[in-house]
Amino acid sequence: MGKADFLSPKAIANRIKSKGLQKLRWYCQMCQKQCRDENGFKCHCMSESHQRQLLLASENPQRFLNYFSTEFRNDFLELLRRRFGTKRVHNNIVYNEYISHREHIHMNATQWETLTDFTKWLGREGFCKVDETPKGWYIQYIDRDPETIRRQQELERKKKQDLDDEEKTAKFIEKQVRRGLEGKELETPVYTELSRESEEEKGNQILMSAVKTPSYSSSSVLGPNALKTVGEVVKRKESSHTSGQSKEKKKKSALDEIMELEEEKKRTARTDYWLQPEIIVKIVTKKLGEKYHKKKAVVKEVIDKYTAVVKMLDSGDKLKLDQTHLETVIPAPGKKVLVLNGGYRGNEGILESINEKSFSATITIDSGPLKGRRVEGVLYEDISKLA
C-alpha cells in the first residue's frame, strides 16, 4: 500500500497528531524521536538506528546522563528566570510551560525521577528557595547576577533615603504641632472658684474709683478698715494667680506626650513571626497523631523565622514544625517568661497576673535597660514560658 496523498484526510490527520505533545513513555531521548503509540515505539526500539545509539550510549552512560541533566537544569532555570524572575511560583506551573516546547529535554533522561526530587535538589544546591505547602512545592529563583545585585542595592538605598526624608518631614511637622499645642496651653485662661472674691473685687473697684477721685483724699474718704480690706483683696488675687500657674505646671508637658506616643508605638510594633529559642511551646496540630497532640516541647532552633526544631519534654524526640502548628505556654504567676512580639520583643520578664476575660497578662520586665518596668495588657500569644 502506497503512502497517502499529501492532501488526503489521513495525511492531514497524521500531521495534526504529530504536531502536538505525545505521551512521554513513547519518546526516545537518545534518538530524539516521539512515537504516537506503543506499536510505533516498539518498532523504533527494534530499528537499526536506535540500536546504534544504544551502543554509543553504553560506552559511557554517565556522560550522557550528566549531559541531559545539565541541559534540563539550565533550560528549566532559564525559563524560571526569564518568565517569573524572583517571584514565588508553584513548580508545576514552571514545568508545564517548560514541556510545552516540543524539543525539550525530557525528565526521564535525567538523574531525577520526579519533579519533587528535582525541586528538592534545586533547594539543596542553592539555585532556588523552596518550601512545601498543602498545595505542593513552591520555588523562588535566587538571582546571583552582579548587575542585578547592584541594581537591588541601589533601589534599597534610594528607598531608605526616601524613608529618611519622610521621617525628617514627619518629625518637623510633629515639632510644629507640639509647639502650637504648647502655645495654646499657655494662652488658655485660668479659671478660679466663684466665691466671695468676686464681690470683694467689685467692692475693691468701687473703693479704688473713690481713691482716684481728685476732690477727696484717700484718708478722708476711706478709713483704716477699708484700706485694710483693699490690701487683703490684692493679696488674695495674687495668691489665686500663683495657684493658677501651679495648675498649669501640673498639666502634661510635651516630653510626657512624646513618651506616651513612644509607648503606644511599642505596643503596636508587631510582626507575623514570634518563634524564639529556649521557650516552651505546645503542639496543636493533629497531623502528627495523638502521640504529640497537645504535648509540650522546647524550641531548640529557629529556621527562616517561621520554622522551629523542637524537642519533646516527655519523650525527647526532635521535630521540625511550622509556627502555625505551635502555640505559646503561659506559666503560673511568678515564673519567668519571654516577650515574643511587640515593642518589648526579646526582653525577659516575670509574670505578675493573668486576666482571663481579656486574654492578657501583666508582666514586669526583668532584663535590659527597661528592667523593672511594669507592662499591662500583654496578649497571651506575645509571651511564652522560658525553659
Side-chain angles (χ1 to χ4, degrees):
M1 184 177 177
K3 191 174 182 180
D5 187 27
F6 182 76
L7 295 177
S8 65
K10 185 175 182 181
I12 294 173
N14 289 337
R15 286 199 298 275
I16 292 173
K17 288 179 184 178
S18 63
K19 197 173 184 180
L21 293 173
Q22 304 295 322
K23 290 189 177 180
L24 184 61
R25 60 181 175 177
W26 295 333
Y27 180 81
C28 177
Q29 184 66 63
M30 286 298 300
C31 303
Q32 295 183 357
K33 180 174 178 57
Q34 175 71 62
C35 301
R36 285 202 295 268
D37 52 20
E38 187 176 358
N39 186 34
F41 185 69
K42 183 178 178 182
C43 293
H44 169 71
C45 292
M46 295 172 63
S47 65
E48 184 179 354
S49 62
H50 179 73
Q51 297 296 329
R52 284 199 303 268
Q53 291 291 337
L54 289 183
L55 289 174
L56 185 65
S58 62
E59 294 178 359
N60 194 350
Q62 191 62 35
R63 183 167 65 89
F64 284 94
L65 183 66
N66 293 339
Y67 171 75
F68 290 136
S69 300
T70 304
E71 289 294 319
F72 178 82
R73 181 202 67 191
N74 293 340
D75 294 343
F76 188 92
L77 290 177
E78 182 65 19
L79 174 65
L80 178 62
R81 184 185 67 82
R82 286 188 291 101
R83 176 70 174 81
F84 301 98
T86 56
K87 295 180 181 178
R88 183 172 173 267
V89 63
H90 200 284
N91 60 352
N92 262 329
I93 296 176
V94 186
Y95 182 70
N96 287 332
E97 289 199 17
Y98 173 74
I99 64 175
S100 63
H101 182 57
R102 185 176 178 83
E103 302 299 330
H104 71 276
I105 303 294
H106 290 66
M107 186 174 283
N108 61 353
T110 65
Q111 64 186 26
W112 305 287
E113 295 181 359
T114 61
L115 181 60
T116 301
D117 294 340
F118 177 63
T119 304
K120 292 179 180 178
W121 183 86
L122 288 177
R124 287 195 301 268
E125 295 296 323
F127 291 104
C128 300
K129 293 180 181 178
V130 300
D131 59 303
E132 185 181 11
T133 65
K135 294 183 180 180
W137 286 88
Y138 282 81
I139 58 177
Q140 183 178 1
Y141 181 70
I142 301 175
D143 196 347
R144 303 185 187 279
D145 185 18
E147 183 65 23
T148 305
I149 295 174
R150 185 185 62 80
R151 197 180 303 117
Q152 288 179 353
Q153 290 176 351
E154 289 181 357
L155 289 174
E156 290 177 358
R157 195 181 304 113
K158 184 178 179 183
K159 186 177 180 181
K160 185 178 180 181
Q161 185 177 358
D162 293 341
L163 288 176
D164 292 341
D165 294 340
E166 290 178 2
E167 289 177 0
K168 289 179 181 178
T169 306
K171 286 181 179 179
F172 177 75
I173 294 173
E174 185 180 354
K175 187 177 181 180
Q176 295 295 326
V177 171
R178 191 163 60 245
R179 284 183 178 178
L181 292 174
E182 289 177 356
K184 286 183 178 179
E185 287 181 0
L186 293 174
E187 291 175 3
T188 52
V190 179
Y191 299 98
T192 57
E193 297 180 0
L194 294 175
S195 59
R196 289 192 302 176
E197 292 179 4
S198 59
E199 297 177 359
E200 291 176 354
E201 287 177 359
K202 289 180 181 178
N204 184 22
Q205 290 176 359
I206 295 171
L207 292 173
M208 292 298 290
S209 62
V211 171
K212 292 179 180 178
T213 305
S215 59
Y216 301 97
S217 64
S218 60
S219 60
S220 61
V221 177
L222 299 174
N225 293 330
L227 291 173
K228 187 177 181 181
T229 305
V230 172
E232 290 178 355
V233 171
V234 173
K235 287 182 180 179
R236 287 181 183 178
K237 190 174 181 180
E238 291 177 352
S239 63
S240 64
H241 182 68
T242 54
S243 64
Q245 287 183 347
S246 62
K247 286 181 181 179
E248 284 184 355
K249 291 180 180 177
K250 288 180 181 178
K251 290 183 180 180
K252 289 183 180 178
S253 62
L255 182 61
D256 295 335
E257 292 180 359
I258 293 172
M259 290 178 66
E260 288 181 359
L261 287 174
E262 290 296 328
E263 290 290 336
E264 188 65 27
K265 287 180 182 178
K266 285 185 176 180
R267 293 192 189 98
T268 56
R270 302 181 60 82
T271 58
D272 58 346
Y273 55 89
W274 53 268
L275 289 172
Q276 293 287 345
E278 300 303 324
I279 61 171
I280 297 178
V281 293
K282 184 185 291 185
I283 299 175
V284 295
T285 181
K286 294 182 180 180
K287 294 182 180 179
L288 302 176
E290 295 297 329
K291 180 181 178 182
Y292 301 110
H293 184 55
K294 294 293 183 182
K295 298 297 177 65
K296 295 180 181 179
V298 181
V299 177
K300 291 297 182 183
E301 184 183 357
V302 179
I303 304 172
D304 295 335
K305 298 181 182 179
Y306 300 94
T307 308
V309 177
V310 301
K311 182 179 181 181
M312 304 303 298
L313 293 178
D314 51 0
S315 61
D317 298 342
K318 286 190 175 182
L319 304 174
K320 186 178 180 181
L321 298 171
D322 190 80
Q323 72 172 9
T324 55
H325 299 154
L326 304 170
E327 68 176 15
T328 58
V329 175
I330 306 300
K335 299 291 184 179
K336 274 198 171 187
V337 295
L338 183 67
V339 183
L340 308 176
N341 216 333
Y344 301 97
R345 181 187 182 96
N347 290 318
E348 296 181 4
I350 304 296
L351 182 64
E352 298 293 339
S353 60
I354 300 173
N355 189 350
E356 296 181 354
K357 292 183 179 180
S358 61
F359 302 100
S360 61
T362 301
I363 64 172
T364 301
I365 304 299
D366 195 40
S367 64
L370 303 177
K371 184 175 181 181
R373 177 171 292 186
R374 182 183 175 88
V375 184
E376 299 180 355
V378 183
L379 300 178
Y380 284 169
E381 58 265 24
D382 290 349
I383 57 174
S384 188
K385 182 179 179 182
L386 274 171

